[in-house]
Amino acid sequence: MTDTGCLPVVIVGAGFSGLGMAIELKRAGRYDFVVLEKAEEVGGTWWENTYPGCGCDIRSLLYSYSFEPKHDWSRMFAGQGEILDYLKGCADRYELWPYIRFGVEVTGVEFDDATESWQVFTADGETYPARAVVAGMGPLHQPRYPEIPGLERFRGTTFHSAQWDHGYDLAGKRVVVIGTGASAIQFVPRIADRVDHLTVFQRTPPWIVPQPDRRLSAAEHRLFRRFPSLQRAYRHLIYWEQEAMGLGFTRPRLIRSAQALARRHIRRQIPDPELRRKLTPDYTLGCKRVLVSSDYYPALTRPDVDLVTEPIAEVREHAVVTRDGTEYPVDAIIFGTGFHVTDKFDSAHIVGRNGYKIQDAWRDGMEAYLGVAVAGFPNLFLLLGPNSGLGHNSMVFMIEAQTRYILQCLETLDRSGGRSIEVRPDVQSTFNRRIQGRLKSAVWSAGGCVSWYLDENGVNRTIWPGSTVGYWLRTRRLRRGDYTYSHRP
Ligand code: NAP
């Protein structure tokens, strides 16, 4: 055991990632960790996002931990509340509550070169010494508000989809929604029949495919309970279906057939040719996240709902004004404008070895090794870090691969008797050169769209370019030689 061995591993965040890491440690018989969570509850994104209609567009039999199947999901695509309950159930089952400190917001982390350990600073002025830090804050966490001239003058109510104001009664109000991404297409159908009038401002139409949602029957629940292997087989089937979709992103012929399916979806649900035209994307499917919904288009056909594609010029006290001068009187504006993703570390206080700041490391764009480790930042591990996101499959699969990998890093460090483990800079840069080589010609860059997958230089810093099987294979066994180990006395 080393000096730092008696310090805990600090996990930041108690969402799918942080809880997954905590469970992985406990399952390995390691109890030397603490989870710091700024909210008063577990769940992360599934605690924070409570907008009407919030749910997962990956089927729940797959969007759950592989080692913790739930046999009685109420629907194919579970809603936010049920996913949150699932995560609370996991915290119960693995007895994680004593390890979690709620209401503790991490404001920064610094590596101490002398002791080769981390100092974790929190908003209430406390410092947690840590042997290692696992950052599980989630990639889609900081709400992004649009910069629209005059927004500060607006006298009505505004809120972001991730900070839904449930105290505000939308009934009888004139409501504007800005944005038509994954969140907006879920809440627009749920509020359309409550408001007096809804105006949806669309900048870029998303590709949307039908959502094959349905209730799971009591008989299915019984079957899954009695025959867990059946549920596992179903999960595998869904996994391979999703994986095939990812493969499709690299095959133009498959993309064309998926586009044909999505166009048919528009034709079936939108009778008005002008509305159809507005809703039909002009970029390649897959370039932005493909959305899944069967009730968004019908909501737009309501007489009290308008879809506006003219860009917004300004906001006045009681109206949104478009570039052509049309004024839309409004009581409330809801932002479905997404999150800071590639710029979210711009002001983060993460200081590694020899005072090396994350902003210096990522001057040319954020990068990591396998999305997990960053050279210059020993014993710091990211969950869902750069280029480990997916557009086609369950992020929980990636989280599990990463938590297993991080556990191996910690175990290897213990076995080596060392104090710190750090990815070699040459290994990290070779890895990133390779994946960027693959990404350059992939649909996310070459598909003719702008998305949050790309940074301000147009470089994809978010997506894993290969199959998830490929990622699993890469992370299954730690290559010892990819890292250096410090044995400072
Ligand atoms: P998003 O996908 O980033 O969509 C943001 C929307 O706001 C886009 O339509 C964007 O238009 C628009 N927008 C942004 N800034 C704007 C501006 N200044 N003026 C006008 N329009 C603007 O955000 P999101 O819908 O919150 O979803 C974020 C991510 O969360 C998703 O991609 C997904 O990964 C995740 N999510 C997942 C689920 C799920 O079911 N699994 C559900 C919700 C969210 P442009 O397209 O033109 O940029």
Side-chain angles (χ1 to χ4, degrees):
M1 188 62 81
T2 60
D3 290 356
T4 48
C6 52
L7 296 179
V9 173
V10 168
I11 300 170
V12 186
F16 252 113
S17 295
L19 292 181
M21 188 73 241
I23 295 171
E24 190 67 29
L25 291 176
K26 271 200 100 177
R27 278 163 38 113
R30 304 179 70 115
Y31 306 100
D32 54 340
F33 67 91
V34 60
V35 182
L36 305 182
E37 168 56 61
K38 75 176 164 54
E40 295 298 338
E41 188 49 275
V42 298
T45 195
W46 298 108
W47 177 81
E48 219 156 72
N49 283 270
T50 58
Y51 59 78
C54 181
C56 189
D57 57 13
I58 296 283
R59 280 163 283 186
S60 303
L61 289 168
L62 179 60
Y63 191 80
S64 43
Y65 297 122
S66 61
F67 51 81
E68 196 52 49
K70 171 175 150 69
H71 64 262
D72 57 353
W73 289 107
S74 66
R75 310 193 63 82
M76 271 293 177
F77 294 85
Q80 170 260 339
E82 195 171 3
I83 300 171
L84 182 59
D85 285 346
Y86 169 78
L87 285 171
K88 286 184 193 168
C90 291
D92 281 341
R93 203 141 30 256
Y94 291 90
E95 296 176 356
L96 297 180
W97 303 108
Y99 296 85
I100 308 175
R101 309 280 175 275
F102 289 107
V104 178
E105 182 179 357
V106 172
T107 51
V109 289
E110 282 179 18
F111 188 70
D112 179 354
D113 295 303
T115 58
E116 303 231 38
S117 62
W118 285 90
Q119 302 282 312
V120 179
F121 306 110
T122 67
D124 52 11
E126 288 230 31
T127 303
Y128 289 75
R131 174 177 196 224
V133 175
V134 180
M137 290 92 71
L140 302 160
H141 177 55
Q142 298 167 18
R144 181 189 283 282
Y145 290 86
E147 286 166 19
I148 302 173
L151 199 51
E152 69 291 345
R153 287 204 312 259
F154 184 61
R155 293 281 187 77
T157 297
T158 62
F159 53 88
H160 190 276
S161 60
Q163 295 163 336
W164 197 270
D165 183 352
H166 290 280
Y168 182 76
D169 186 6
L170 290 167
K173 304 288 191 331
R174 294 161 304 176
V175 176
V176 153
V177 170
I178 302 180
T180 53
S183 304
I185 68 145
Q186 290 185 335
F187 69 74
V188 161
R190 299 302 175 98
I191 63 170
D193 57 356
R194 276 162 49 191
V195 302
D196 172 59
H197 193 275
L198 185 63
T199 311
V200 180
F201 284 88
Q202 170 190 280
R203 192 164 65 179
T204 316
W207 281 106
I208 303 178
V209 294
Q211 182 174 39
D213 194 17
R214 65 172 177 82
R215 290 200 76 79
L216 285 166
S217 67
E220 282 170 304
H221 292 162
R222 272 196 304 276
L223 267 179
F224 290 154
R225 191 171 28 226
R226 277 204 66 194
F227 306 106
S229 54
L230 189 69
Q231 179 166 351
R232 259 196 311 277
Y234 204 166
R235 178 183 168 102
H236 287 172
L237 183 74
I238 298 170
Y239 170 79
W240 286 109
E241 262 180 55
Q242 297 292 143
E243 201 57 2
M245 194 166 106
L247 191 71
F249 287 166
T250 58
R251 305 274 189 289
R253 209 155 53 89
L254 292 178
I255 292 182
R256 277 197 297 276
S257 15
Q259 284 186 183
L261 169 80
R263 282 211 182 87
R264 198 161 55 237
H265 189 39
I266 299 176
R267 276 198 308 275
R268 282 204 180 135
Q269 295 201 316
I270 305 283
D272 173 18
E274 176 54 16
L275 187 55
R276 268 188 207 165
R277 189 191 58 74
K278 284 182 179 175
L279 288 168
T280 305
D282 62 357
Y283 57 87
T284 310
L285 178 141
C287 184
K288 280 174 181 288
R289 189 184 166 96
V290 181
L291 306 186
V292 184
S293 171
S294 295
D295 56 4
Y296 175 63
Y297 289 147
L300 297 181
T301 62
R302 293 174 60 101
D304 47 5
V305 176
D306 288 325
L307 181 77
V308 177
T309 53
E310 183 68 20
I312 298 172
E314 63 166 319
V315 174
R316 295 185 187 149
E317 279 78 357
H318 299 284
V320 171
V321 183
T322 46
R323 219 184 274 169
D324 61 3
T326 312
E327 202 173 293
Y328 296 84
V330 54
D331 302 307
I333 302 176
I334 305 175
F335 301 109
T337 41
F339 300 86
H340 290 277
V341 184
T342 55
D343 56 348
K344 71 175 178 166
F345 286 101
D346 283 1
S347 58
H349 185 80
I350 303 174
V351 184
R353 202 186 277 293
N354 301 323
Y356 192 42
K357 295 196 177 97
I358 198 76
Q359 289 80 6
D360 297 328
W362 288 350
R363 189 173 294 123
D364 300 325
M366 60 180 194
E367 65 166 48
Y369 179 52
L370 294 167
V372 168
V374 185
F377 298 82
N379 297 5
L380 174 71
F381 306 101
L382 311 175
L383 288 168
L384 302 182
N387 292 107
S388 62
L390 302 174
H392 70 284
N393 211 331
S394 170
M395 293 303 290
V396 182
F397 181 92
M398 299 300 270
I399 290 169
E400 282 191 39
Q402 294 182 338
T403 55
R404 278 194 300 266
Y405 183 81
I406 294 168
L407 176 67
Q408 288 180 60
C409 290
L410 294 172
E411 286 176 339
T412 306
L413 180 60
D414 283 351
R415 275 199 298 275
S416 78
R419 284 174 171 238
S420 68
I421 175 170
E422 182 180 344
V423 65
R424 283 172 30 202
D426 58 315
V427 169
Q428 181 178 312
S429 53
T430 305
F431 169 80
N432 277 281
R433 229 184 358 263
R434 287 210 183 116
I435 61 169
Q436 288 303 336
R438 294 178 71 176
L439 283 164
K440 216 175 282 168
S441 56
V443 65
W444 306 287
S445 295
C449 79
V450 178
S451 78
W452 56 261
Y453 293 154
L454 313 181
D455 68 10
E456 70 279 12
N457 301 315
V459 181
N460 191 328
R461 301 287 179 189
T462 53
I463 290 281
W464 170 250
S467 67
T468 61
V469 182
Y471 187 81
W472 176 76
L473 283 170
R474 280 300 299 257
T475 49
R476 205 160 63 104
R477 295 231 187 292
L478 177 84
R479 295 179 193 164
R480 249 188 135 264
D482 288 348
Y483 290 83
T484 54
Y485 304 83
S486 156
H487 293 87
R488 217 177 276 184

